[in-house]
Amino acid sequence: RAHHPEIFRNGPEQLSLLAGTGYTLMLLTSGWCVARALHAMRASRQRACLQWMMGAFVFGLGYPVIKLFEVRWNLAHGLNGDAGVFIVTYYYLSFNHLIHVFWGLLGMIWVMLRTGTGSYSAEEHSGLESFAVYWHTTDIIWLMIFPLFYVLSASLNPGATLLSTNGLFSKISLDNYVQLFQDPSRPYG
C-alpha cells in the first residue's frame, strides 16, 4: 500500500463492497451466535447451546459461499494472479483468512458433537471457550482486512462511491444473481 498508493487507491473499484459487507455480516452474526451458545452453556442450557452453535455454523458457512461466488465472478472478469499487486495482496490475505474459517468450521463441528453428547457442562466447557476465542479471532482479523480493502481505500478515492462498486452484487437483483450461475463471464446490468 505504501509503495503503490495509486493502485491501492483505485483497487476497491475492482471489488464488491456488498460482498465484503456480506462476509462481515456473516462472520459477526456467527460470532454472536457463538457468544450466545457460550452464555447458554454457562446457564446449563446444553440444548440451547447446541442450537446457537448450529446457527453459528450456518452463518459461518456464508463466508466460503460468498467467497466462491466472488472468486468465480472475479476470474471471469480477469481478476486473477496477473491482475496486479492489489488483487494478489487481496487474494493472499482473504484466502489465508478463508483457510482459518475452514479450520474454524471444522472446530465448530467438533464442538457441536461434544455439546450434543453432553461432554460440556456449566462447570466444564473449556473446549467451547477455546473455540469461541479462535472464532472471534477470525472475526477480528477480518475486521482488519475489510476496511483495508473495501472501506479505507474506497473512501480515499474521490471517484468511488461506497454503494456502486464494480464488483459482485454491485447491482443486485434476483435476475442478476441467477445470471451469475448461468454465465459467470456475463456482465451485470
Side-chain angles (χ1 to χ4, degrees), residues 34-51:
V34 169
R36 296 300 303 160
L38 189 55
H39 181 72
M41 182 57 71
R42 288 177 178 162
S44 294
R45 296 176 27 236
Q46 283 82 0
R47 182 181 165 119
C49 175
L50 185 58
Q51 291 170 335

Side-chain angles (χ1 to χ4, degrees), residues 105-133:
L105 291 170
L106 290 174
M108 198 177 304
I109 290 170
W110 177 250
V111 167
M112 287 189 294
L113 288 172
R114 298 213 7 111
T115 301
T117 60
S119 298
Y120 297 133
S121 67
E123 296 76 33
E124 176 26 54
H125 51 271
S126 60
L128 175 59
E129 287 180 336
S130 296
F131 169 76
V133 168

Side-chain angles (χ1 to χ4, degrees), residues 18-39:
L18 191 54
T21 303
Y23 297 137
T24 305
L25 292 175
M26 290 293 132
L27 289 173
L28 292 180
T29 304
S30 179
W32 180 75
C33 289
V34 169
R36 296 300 303 160
L38 189 55
H39 181 72

Side-chain angles (χ1 to χ4, degrees), residues 61-165:
L61 282 175
Y63 184 92
V65 168
I66 294 170
K67 180 58 74 184
L68 174 71
F69 293 128
E70 180 194 35
V71 169
R72 183 176 166 172
W73 190 90
N74 285 349
L75 293 176
H77 289 84
L79 298 177
N80 56 30
D82 297 327
V85 68
F86 176 83
I87 293 298
V88 170
T89 304
Y90 170 74
Y91 279 146
Y92 173 77
L93 290 174
S94 65
F95 284 146
N96 192 316
H97 185 262
L98 178 64
I99 290 167
H100 287 82
V101 169
F102 275 130
W103 279 113
L105 291 170
L106 290 174
M108 198 177 304
I109 290 170
W110 177 250
V111 167
M112 287 189 294
L113 288 172
R114 298 213 7 111
T115 301
T117 60
S119 298
Y120 297 133
S121 67
E123 296 76 33
E124 176 26 54
H125 51 271
S126 60
L128 175 59
E129 287 180 336
S130 296
F131 169 76
V133 168
Y134 178 89
W135 198 242
H136 292 312
T137 302
T138 62
D139 287 348
I140 291 168
I141 292 167
W142 178 254
L143 290 175
M144 290 184 274
I145 293 171
F146 175 64
L148 287 173
F149 286 93
Y150 293 96
V151 180
L152 294 178
S153 298
S155 65
L156 294 175
N157 184 353
T161 61
L162 295 178
L163 296 177
S164 61
T165 59

